[in-house]
Amino acid sequence: MKTLTKLGLAAALIAAPSLGLAQDDGPVPGVNAATDSVFIFNSLLFLIGGFLVFWMAAGFAMLEAGLVRAKNVTMQLTKNIALFSFAAIFYYLIGYNLMYPLGTWAIDGILSGVWGPGVLEAVGVTADAADDYGYASTGSDFFFQLMFCAATASIVSGALAERIKLWPFLIFTVILTSIIYPLQASWKWGGGFLDAMGFLDFAGSTVVHSVGGWAALAGALILGPRIGKYTKDGKTVPIPGHNLALATLGTFILWLGWFGFNGGSQLAMGTVGDVADVSRIFANTNTAAAGGAIAALILTQVLYKKPDLTMVLNGALGGLVSITAEPLTPTLGAATLIGAVGGVIVVFAVPFLDKLKIDDVVGAIPVHLFAGVWGTIAVVFTNGDASLGTQLYSIIVVGIFVFVVSSVIWFILKTTVGIRVGEEEEINGLDMAELGMEAYPEFSKG
């Protein structure tokens, strides 16, 4: 997401009166139709982008539901709607102002000096009283940023599926969405020290995706693998998901939502150039996903003699994560190649984690962490303002911070309330053990 202050008034090229955009009653100093159009179109971009990213919550839910066994589907659906709801409340209470200090720092460039709940503009606010008349409405900005925060928590959900307790997971979600995610995001998108160094991460390959991946990795290491996933002689036992139709639906929903994820991160739609850039971002985002899917399709055919649908789905997602750090500057060809590399990374990373006996049920760590790191590095190939040293430094700083803090929280939860269900509960399924209800009750009784 670009760091943005005030937009220039080149938007005068858009003849606001001809579009029927009415002014407030009477002349107001510093208010004009051109700036009205900037405020209106920017706010509209945030709202459209925001509800597209919200739709990704459904994508995560369907993807995860499809890739777990039938006895754990209700738990995954419960976690996904609950984590989004907790994120919405706690990002409002703490996270939004922690992420956007607006130049007010308790520790310069590191810790926000603004604490407390987010506050929207007044009902029926006029142009002269808007928080940032040259930019966008506060409500649209809050709504858009919240969706990114919630997406980060969704990444963790899938990796730790089928053996984690509900409430300890949700406690971690509250801490992740109110403190961990907003704090590190402030270092880049809030104008903090990484932004001052020149770190570039347009829509969050690192700030969102690798953060979710690092938190998931810490959780997977402390939680341990599912029963029966790895044998004593080191072999990996495949545990297939119960419904690849749901998983495929979830992938397409995520693909759709990504247009809002990346396109909305242009953060401006008030000029001809901004709209052209948004359309360029849409096209690059789409082709990167296609590149990732095709790379995974071909590579699994070569390696395993048959294509693997789950790898193809995650290959598309790996391509999307890879392009997220810089979806604007690449050509269509470069975007395709960046996404293809993401797909290749996913295919090799999944068995690599299995060799380390790190059990990631849906492949979230390869997709969001590994491809997120690659995408952040790939910025240097198409954006002349990017520095490889700065990109690597920022990846390391964010990675260490999130992994260490997440590990501490997971360990505290493990030693106090416990994070893993018992062996019998895991074998019988979390749906009945934790929730007392099944996703498919008509099939469970024979």
Side-chain angles (χ1 to χ4, degrees):
M1 217 166 294
K2 300 188 300 183
T3 303
L4 194 66
T5 53
K6 296 289 185 180
L7 297 170
L9 294 184
L13 294 172
I14 302 176
S18 68
L19 296 176
L21 301 178
Q23 276 286 61
D24 297 297
D25 294 336
V28 179
V31 175
N32 58 65
T35 312
D36 263 8
S37 69
V38 170
F39 183 92
I40 291 167
F41 282 116
N42 287 353
S43 299
L44 183 62
L45 176 66
F46 290 162
L47 294 173
I48 293 173
F51 72 64
L52 281 170
V53 181
F54 166 78
W55 189 227
M56 292 175 71
F60 279 115
M62 293 300 98
L63 177 67
E64 294 172 24
L67 292 180
V68 300
R69 289 166 288 185
K71 62 185 180 181
N72 295 309
V73 171
T74 304
M75 172 60 90
Q76 285 310 110
L77 299 176
T78 302
K79 285 197 302 181
N80 272 274
I81 195 164
L83 73 84
F84 185 90
S85 301
F86 275 108
I89 300 301
F90 282 89
Y91 188 70
Y92 146 65
L93 290 175
I94 302 172
Y96 184 59
N97 281 328
L98 182 60
M99 184 169 164
Y100 287 107
L102 300 178
T104 302
W105 297 95
I107 302 175
D108 191 40
I110 297 176
L111 179 63
S112 172
V114 183
W115 295 86
V119 179
L120 305 181
E121 286 154 321
V123 175
V125 66
T126 54
D128 59 314
D131 290 339
D132 196 341
Y133 174 55
Y135 179 37
S137 68
T138 300
S140 67
D141 181 63
F142 169 80
F143 179 74
F144 185 63
Q145 301 302 336
L146 164 62
M147 299 305 142
F148 285 71
C149 180
T152 306
S154 296
I155 295 167
V156 183
S157 172
L160 308 182
E162 298 202 309
R163 74 270 199 205
I164 193 168
K165 293 180 179 179
L166 175 62
W167 287 104
F169 169 78
L170 294 177
I171 291 171
F172 180 84
T173 295
V174 167
I175 298 170
L176 176 66
T177 56
S178 63
I179 298 174
I180 298 175
Y181 168 80
L183 181 56
Q184 61 81 33
S186 75
W187 300 342
K188 166 55 187 172
W189 292 340
F193 75 100
L194 293 180
D195 185 59
M197 291 179 60
F199 174 46
L200 299 181
D201 190 3
F202 193 97
S205 287
T206 285
V207 174
V208 176
H209 294 283
S210 78
V211 167
W214 286 117
L217 177 61
L221 289 171
I222 293 174
L223 185 64
R226 288 168 290 175
I227 295 171
K229 177 64 178 176
Y230 305 113
T231 63
K232 293 182 179 179
D233 58 0
K235 293 182 179 179
T236 299
V237 179
I239 304 178
H242 87 289
N243 192 329
L244 294 185
L246 278 182
T248 303
L249 174 63
T251 301
F252 274 118
I253 292 173
L254 288 167
W255 192 328
L256 171 64
W258 232 287
F259 297 127
F261 201 100
N262 287 355
S265 294
Q266 173 69 11
L267 300 184
M269 201 172 68
T271 69
V272 170
D274 285 326
V275 174
D277 283 353
V278 171
S279 64
R280 182 183 177 97
I281 290 166
F282 271 47
N284 281 339
T285 298
N286 186 68
T287 198
I294 292 171
L297 178 70
I298 295 172
L299 188 55
T300 53
Q301 175 71 58
V302 171
L303 293 176
Y304 308 124
K305 309 307 178 186
K306 292 181 181 179
D308 184 325
L309 174 60
T310 61
M311 287 291 195
V312 175
L313 299 179
N314 275 333
L317 297 177
L320 287 162
V321 171
S322 299
I323 201 64
T324 293
E326 184 48 89
L328 175 60
T329 57
T331 62
L332 282 169
T336 305
L337 292 174
I338 290 170
V341 173
V344 171
I345 288 171
V346 168
V347 172
F348 285 113
V350 170
F352 172 71
L353 288 181
D354 281 333
K355 288 182 179 180
L356 299 177
K357 295 187 177 181
I358 299 173
D359 187 11
D360 176 354
V361 176
V362 304
I365 296 169
V367 167
H368 298 279
L369 176 52
F370 290 18
V373 169
W374 152 245
T376 307
I377 294 171
V379 176
V380 302
F381 299 126
T382 64
N383 190 325
D385 294 329
S387 160
L388 179 59
T390 301
Q391 296 298 101
L392 291 173
Y393 175 79
S394 301
I395 290 168
I396 293 169
V397 167
V398 171
I400 291 175
F401 167 73
V402 176
F403 182 76
V404 170
V405 174
S406 296
S407 296
V408 170
I409 296 167
W410 285 124
F411 181 76
I412 292 173
L413 289 170
K414 180 179 180 178
T415 56
T416 53
V417 297
I419 60 175
R420 183 162 186 154
V421 299
E423 182 175 341
E424 183 179 351
E425 287 85 353
E426 182 176 341
I427 292 171
N428 291 333
L430 275 63
D431 287 2
M432 289 303 298
E434 286 274 287
L435 304 173
M437 63 176 65
E438 298 171 299
Y440 309 108
E442 66 273 26
F443 296 110
S444 64
K445 309 305 178 185

